[in-house]
Structures are given as structure tokens and as C-alpha cells.
Amino acid sequence: MKYKISLIILLLLSSFVLNALTLEEAVNYASENSVPVKISYETIKISGLEKKQAISNFLPSLSLNTTYTRLDEAPTMTIAGPMGTPMVIPLGVQDNYAASFELGMPIFMGGKLITGYSIAKEKEIISKLELEKNRADIKIAVIQMYMSGLLLDEMINMTNVLYNSKKEHYESALSKYTLGSASKIELLSAEMQFKSIEPQIAEMTNKKKNLINSIKLIIGLSLDDEFEFEGSIKDILDSVIIVNPLIKEDLTEEGLNNSKDLKILNKNVSILGKVYRLTKLNFLPNIVGYANYKYNNIAGAANDSLILFNDTLFIDGSLVWGVAISFDLFSGGKKVLDVLKTGHQYKQMNMIYANKIEQTKIDIENILSNYDIAKMNTETFQYTLALADEAFSIAQKQYHQGIISNSDYINAETNYIQARVGYSQNLFNQIVNYYSLLNALGIL
């Protein structure tokens, strides 16, 4: 019988392990399957096609135009012949066909084609940077939510411990009340504290369920998939710091060099600079080479005719080629205003970029400061928790022996719970600030 029970427990534990999702697995899955990442992949494909479109603008264009017209009757003209006999001269045919081939080749477009291709290349680079940025944003979001889940698990565990403690305290108070060594007020107070814990557990359990659904949504899992958080905040914190410790030398410089936001903004500055240059080039003429070869059928002499569709006709071809030059002499000052407007936009974007650099420096320093504070507070919280744990253990023994009052026991219990909450919250802050710093440095 014991063997069967052990086997059942082992199978249950195995099922829990199969449903467990580690932080690393969640982050890796999200970096490939989340909706924002998939959208970024499509954006890269679109920008790649736009770059090819920009290249195609350099190539010649060839078009074919055909027309067909049928008349009710072929137009003719009747004149008197040499012997007075009427002669009918065809002026056309009933079935009229025409076809033309048109070839166009850009020769000089005022720098528009080259600038357009250069802008398309910049946009493709931006789309790839945005993919990396979206991946990093998804990672930090998953990490924060996963850590919140582990913290919530810790809170649920602490509340269950508190629940069992309150239950034991209530049973003890009930026993003492039955023996006459505890008052009715003490019994009611113990019962109230015991009963008030159950809604808290239900509320936190519901929060955990909602959090898991949110993680499923953000990483791209189906809501029908089940998983549990694995590990503890302390274990994850110890492992990541050992594997990837922070070296504080030149962190700000590293962040400025790796920041995806700065790189994207820098590319936007470059694009706007090219647009500004393009508005100046709009004053130059556009030169296009063209050629047109046209075929059409006309009425002809019977001796040199070609019989087609029961009509007497012959094919006439004509070739036209040349160079077209277009130059706007006056457009109401629009081009001048475009230059002025784009110039101010270019200056504005440069100011935004310079301000973003300073803001990035401040953000890195703030996150690093928060991380250092959380790291420094860890020893304090560990020491406080050890003291609160010891005090609570002593209070439990003394309360059961009747040495201390109910209020003293509750105070010791409250201090212990607060110490555990503070310690877990500090670990949470430390690891979230650690990953936030990696994200700010562009190396997450």
C-alpha cells in the first residue's frame, strides 16, 4: 500500500515538473513566439521589399499598349476613273489594330533615386534594430512578470504559514478558553484573525492565475497550456550574478554604445538629414530618356497587301525616341518652404537625439543606484529576518507555556511576516533592477 502511494506521489510530482516553465525557457520562448517579435519579423520583410523597390527605380521601364477598333463598315471614297467608271478607294478597314512598345530610362532625377535607395537601406536597418529592441522589451517584461509570480508564490506560502499559525493559535485559545485560562475576547480575537486569512489566500491565488494568463499572452502560449513557476527568487538571483556579474567600469559608455533606442534615433536623424538634402535637390531638373515603337494597320494597295481577317491591309511601324527634360520654374515658393521646414525638423531631431543621450545616462545611473541599494540592503534584511524568526520561535514557545500575552505573540508573528515580506521584496527589487540595468545597457 505504501508503495502504491509513493508511486502516485512520484507521478504527480513528475506531472508538475513537466508543467513547470523556468525563467530561461519563458524568456527564450517569448523572444521567438511573442506577437510583437513576429510583427517585427514581418516589418523586416517589408523593409527589405521596399529596398528592392528603391533599386527597381534605377531600371528602365518597358510597357506594351494594344488597341482594337471595329467599324460598322470600312470607310471609302468613290472617284471617277479614266474611262468614267467609278473607282472605290478604301480609306480604312473595319478591323483596326494598334500596338506600341514604350521604353523609359531615368538618366538624372536630381538625386532622388540614390537618396531614396539610401533611405530604404536606413529603414531596413531600423527594422532590424526594432526587432532587437522588441526582443529585449519582451524579455524584461517576462522577467518582471515571472519574478512577480515567484514573489506571489512566496507570499502565498507565507500566508499559508500564517494561516496554519493562526489556526494553531485559535485552537490553543479555544483550549485555554475551555479550561478557563483565556477570556472570551481573546478567543474571538484569535478566531477573527484565523478566519480573515482565508480570503487573502483566495485573492492571491486568483492574482497568480491572472498573472500566469498574462505571461501566456505575452510569450505566445495558448491559454489552454498549463505551467507553474519554477525555482525561487534567491536561487535565480544567485545564479545570474555568478554567471554574469556586473563590472562597473564604463557602464554608462557601454550603455550609450549598445542602446537600441539611441541607434534607432540616430538612424532617424540620418534619414531626416537625407530628406533635407533631397528637398534641396528638388530644384534640379529631371532627365528621362524614352523610345516608342508603334505598329498599326492601314488600308493599302492590293498589289502590296497582306490579307488578315479578310481585310486588305499592311502593317505600318514608326519609331520615336528622345530625351525629356522637366524643370519647375515656379511653384509658388513651395520648394523653398519645404527646404526651410525640413531644415527645422532636422535640427529638432538632432536636439531630440542629444537629449536622449543625456536621458540614457541618467536612466543607467538611476537603475545602477537602485540595484546597488537593493544589493546593499540584502544583508540587512537577512539579519533582520534571522532576528524576527528567532523572536517568533521564542514567542510561540512562551505563548504555549502561558509566559507572554496574546498581543506579544501577535507582535512577534507580525514582525516575522513583515521581515519575510521585506526580504523577499528586496530580492525581487535586486533582480529586477539587475535585468533592467542589462536592458538599459543593451546587453539583455
Side-chain angles (χ1 to χ4, degrees), residues 115 119 269-282 338 342 345:
T115 305
I119 291 175
V269 170
S270 177
I271 288 175
L272 199 52
K274 290 179 172 64
V275 173
Y276 180 43
R277 184 170 65 252
L278 187 60
T279 58
K280 296 178 181 179
L281 295 174
N282 282 336
D338 284 342
T342 311
Q345 290 175 334

Side-chain angles (χ1 to χ4, degrees), residues 7 27 35 75 84 93 131 136 140 146 157 308 318 332 351 354 367 424:
L7 181 60
V27 169
V35 174
V93 293
L131 171 62
I140 191 63
Y146 198 96
N157 292 335
L308 267 181
S318 61
M351 288 187 287
I367 297 174
S424 298

Side-chain angles (χ1 to χ4, degrees), residues 168-196:
E168 183 181 354
H169 177 54
Y170 167 69
E171 291 173 350
S172 176
L174 179 61
S175 176
K176 290 182 179 180
Y177 176 75
T178 304
L179 297 174
S181 59
S183 65
K184 180 71 172 180
I185 295 177
E186 185 177 352
L187 175 62
L188 293 175
S189 176
E191 184 177 8
M192 181 182 66
Q193 293 172 12
F194 166 57
K195 294 295 184 181
S196 65

Side-chain angles (χ1 to χ4, degrees), residues 18 30 47-48 65 74 146 169 190 193 240 322 329 354 389 413:
L18 290 175
S47 61
N65 298 311
Y146 198 96
H169 177 54
Q193 293 172 12
V240 296
L329 297 178
D389 186 22
E413 184 181 56

